[in-house]
Amino acid sequence: MNVTHLECAACGLKHEARRLHNLCSQCGKPLLVRYDLKSAAASLTKESLRQRAPDLWRYREVLPVEQDENIVTLGEGFTPLLRASRLGAKMGLNRLYIKDEGQNPTQSFKARGMAAAVSMAKELGVEKLAVPSAGNAAGALAAYAARAGMEAHIFMPSDTPRANVIECEQTGAHVTLMEGLITDCGAEVGRRKEAEGWFDVSTLKEPYRIEGKKTMGYELAEQFDWDLPDVILYPTGGGTGLIGMWKAFDEMEQMGWIGSKRPRMITVQAAGCAPIVRAFEKGERFADEFPDAHTTASGLRVPKAIGDFLIIDALRASGGTAIAVTDEELIAATKEIGAAEGVFCAPEGAACLPALKRLLEDGSVQQDERVVLFNTGSGVKYIESFSS
Ligand SMILES: Cc1ncc(COP(=O)(O)O)c(C=O)c1O
Ligand SMILES: [Zn+2]
């Protein structure tokens, strides 16, 4: 299709497409997929999209899979952009929206990334996949690997929500629960992958998950009729979705679909694990590992993100910021959003609401601005987080 090469996001070194890669061979940072966007834009047009299926493969020309038969799909993407009038009115906002990623297969936005990663793994002849996960990436990998007839080897902290563990087992994955955090799980995958013949699909250590996630940016543009919103609040762990959307905006500009104006990108983290917030506030580009990371929003319990500099670059370039909210606030917000709008959010998604309140209080969001809260998953997976 239109992939020209992979490029290191830090040192710019080019890597050959159509080969298995993890990180940059020179500096160990993430690789990004580059396309011949002129060629992509010849058949992928705003008009052509009207005829296409409502899933993320509608943006086929800017996705990395070459052969259609390698696409592994469960119907991911094209989730609704819900107008949240009732919640907006409570806060004095006229144009508030929720992008409801909980409606994806496996009930989270992780389905997008894993659909792309597993499809590419199939195309490149991989048979065994491994991942460290906070929970939702595991559930998504397990499902897509099963769909592709591949093995999935999953490593999660032992206190991962039960639903994530059960869904992996019931979709045939090999599950290992470990004492410690996602970083410890990642180290275990790193130690064993060579001997076991596993391909490591950790966030940003594999170049294609971000390609699946970037479709959230394409969808937002399409759903807002090619006029991007003013503010995007995004619950950030590894940051793939935020980095992916930022990449999508650039690709769309290069294809002539949008102008140079960008939404203000807001990273939302939990106070118990806020490495990006801390680095952003200190004016740094790389984030130190966050000590004693803890939060009930398990997807946000990522003490060290390999794409930290890409997240922070996007926040700064967009005029955005990074905000930490407490577990108490994000759990209360789940009910507030649910009761006002009927969307039972994952606690990670709900965390966007207290962050938005903070921005309204300090006057950095205005009442007529178009604001999008990213609900990255479904609350149904987090029964332990809620007491009735
Ligand atoms: C529901 C949910 N929201 C947000 C995140 C963080 O996602 P990202 O790694 O793209 O920052 C995760 C990651 O596990 C998640 O499961
Ligand atoms: Zn490099």
Side-chain angles (χ1 to χ4, degrees):
M1 291 286 287
N2 300 309
V3 177
T4 55
H5 63 280
L6 276 61
E7 184 180 276
C8 173
C11 77
L13 186 72
K14 287 188 177 181
H15 293 64
E16 206 182 311
R18 298 170 200 88
R19 281 191 39 205
L20 274 183
H21 293 287
N22 285 114
L23 294 165
C24 173
S25 58
Q26 181 165 273
C27 75
K29 294 291 184 191
L31 298 175
L32 300 174
V33 182
R34 299 298 180 203
Y35 298 84
D36 177 347
L37 291 170
K38 217 168 162 185
S39 158
S43 55
L44 180 63
T45 60
K46 292 178 185 174
E47 295 69 39
S48 74
L49 284 169
R50 293 202 191 106
Q51 325 295 331
R52 297 191 183 191
D55 61 39
L56 64 75
W57 301 100
R58 62 201 276 106
Y59 309 109
R60 182 79 180 84
E61 287 89 338
V62 288
L63 289 169
V65 185
E66 212 163 80
Q67 307 290 337
D68 281 348
E69 71 248 30
N70 293 323
I71 291 177
V72 182
T73 181
L74 289 162
E76 55 287 339
F78 224 68
T79 55
L81 177 71
L82 303 169
R83 183 90 185 239
S85 311
R86 217 180 276 277
L87 188 63
K90 271 179 75 177
M91 287 187 299
L93 276 175
N94 294 328
R95 298 193 286 175
L96 179 64
Y97 298 83
I98 299 170
K99 178 75 169 156
D100 190 13
E101 290 293 303
Q103 298 194 35
N104 275 299
T106 71
Q107 296 77 52
S108 92
F109 71 152
K110 298 282 174 183
R112 295 179 186 265
M114 288 305 181
V118 173
S119 298
M120 283 308 292
K122 184 176 174 195
E123 190 151 276
L124 297 173
V126 175
E127 286 170 359
K128 299 179 183 179
L129 299 163
V131 81
S133 170
N136 283 319
L141 176 65
Y144 286 90
R147 188 97 172 133
M150 292 181 199
E151 281 181 23
H153 297 267
I154 281 161
F155 294 79
M156 293 184 281
S158 53
D159 55 354
T160 298
R162 279 288 291 155
N164 293 126
V165 178
I166 293 168
E167 68 179 330
C168 292
E169 290 169 351
Q170 295 304 314
T171 47
H174 303 264
V175 179
T176 306
L177 297 180
M178 295 184 62
E179 291 312 311
L181 301 175
I182 188 171
T183 33
D184 302 301
C185 297
E188 179 73 359
V189 171
R191 267 193 296 276
R192 291 178 55 187
K193 64 184 175 187
E194 208 164 293
E196 304 274 3
W198 298 338
F199 183 64
D200 182 355
V201 290
S202 302
T203 294
L204 286 169
K205 287 189 188 161
E206 180 281 344
Y208 302 110
R209 281 174 67 180
I210 186 175
E211 292 303 294
K213 287 250 192 114
K214 81 178 179 189
T215 56
M216 297 189 295
Y218 279 88
E219 283 174 27
L220 270 189
E222 190 176 351
Q223 290 170 324
F224 275 112
D225 204 16
W226 311 109
D227 183 14
L228 291 174
D230 300 296
V231 180
I232 294 176
L233 291 107
Y234 178 84
T236 307
T240 338
L242 188 141
I243 300 165
M245 284 191 275
W246 195 247
K247 180 175 190 279
F249 299 154
D250 280 348
E251 290 175 359
M252 285 189 281
E253 186 179 357
Q254 285 178 56
M255 290 193 291
W257 288 9
I258 60 169
S260 59
K261 191 168 165 280
R262 296 285 181 272
R264 306 202 291 286
M265 305 297 285
I266 315 293
T267 267
V268 182
Q269 297 199 303
C273 183
I276 302 296
V277 177
R278 195 172 270 186
F280 184 84
E281 285 173 352
K282 283 200 276 184
E284 286 165 2
R285 190 172 180 232
F286 295 92
D288 292 333
E289 181 156 346
F290 199 90
D292 305 322
H294 61 91
T295 167
T296 191
S298 44
L300 301 184
R301 202 172 45 161
V302 181
K304 176 93 189 132
I306 190 166
D308 49 3
F309 64 108
L310 297 172
I311 302 168
I312 292 171
D313 286 355
L315 301 182
R316 295 216 170 98
S318 72
T321 189
I323 297 175
V325 306
T326 65
D327 275 19
E328 221 168 26
E329 287 176 305
L330 61 87
I331 289 299
T334 311
K335 188 158 185 185
E336 192 175 349
I337 298 169
E341 298 294 347
V343 177
F344 182 17
C345 291
E348 293 87 343
C352 294
L353 184 66
L356 174 60
K357 286 181 182 167
R358 210 108 11 113
L359 294 173
L360 285 163
E361 275 159 23
D362 73 15
S364 40
V365 169
Q366 310 307 317
Q367 71 169 19
D368 283 320
E369 289 193 301
R370 289 165 308 150
V371 178
V372 178
L373 305 180
F374 256 90
N375 175 37
T376 41
S378 166
V380 169
K381 295 250 179 103
Y382 297 80
I383 299 305
E384 301 95 326
S385 295
F386 306 100
S387 51
S388 50

